[in-house]
Amino acid sequence: MSRPRQGLLGGSFDPVHVAHVELARQALQQGKVLPLRTVLDQVEREHQGQVIKIEFEHDDGQFIYELRLLHPNGDVSKLKVDAMDGRVLRIRRKGRD
């Protein structure tokens, strides 16, 4: 049976729900996730773009950073990144309309 997804919305969402911040803080303190800055630096360097939206999720026992990346040509990608080791799990890329 699948557990409900939990997420931390960042970017333009304000205010962030306190429980989501606590979930992320505890995961970081317990060594279950990499610091967000580490993941952002890696993604922006390897995928040539700027992160414009961040979500933090705990889904089926796995912590995920879901990032939206704006590329220099205007395209936007959505990346799912394993928060524990920084591996990119999935990339969906959309072109400009």
Side-chain angles (χ1 to χ4, degrees), residues 18-85:
V18 174
H20 295 149
V21 172
E22 183 62 21
L23 174 68
R25 186 185 68 75
Q26 286 180 6
L28 181 61
Q29 286 180 340
Q30 295 170 5
K32 294 180 179 179
V33 299
L34 292 172
L36 179 59
R37 181 77 265 159
T38 301
V39 173
L40 294 179
D41 289 345
Q42 176 182 323
V43 166
E44 289 178 340
R45 183 176 55 254
E46 293 177 4
H47 296 277
Q48 307 299 309
Q50 179 182 6
V51 175
I52 57 174
K53 184 177 180 182
I54 302 164
E55 295 181 26
F56 180 76
E57 302 174 346
H58 186 233
D59 190 17
D60 291 330
Q62 185 176 25
F63 290 102
I64 302 288
Y65 287 117
E66 190 172 289
L67 310 173
R68 232 172 250 160
L69 193 67
L70 176 64
H71 298 278
N73 68 356
D75 288 352
V76 175
S77 294
K78 187 176 184 180
L79 288 78
K80 288 201 173 217
V81 179
D82 186 316
M84 184 170 219
D85 62 16

Side-chain angles (χ1 to χ4, degrees), residues 7-17 20 53-57:
L8 170 65
L9 301 176
S12 61
F13 183 80
D14 187 31
V16 175
H17 191 277
H20 295 149
K53 184 177 180 182
I54 302 164
E55 295 181 26
F56 180 76
E57 302 174 346

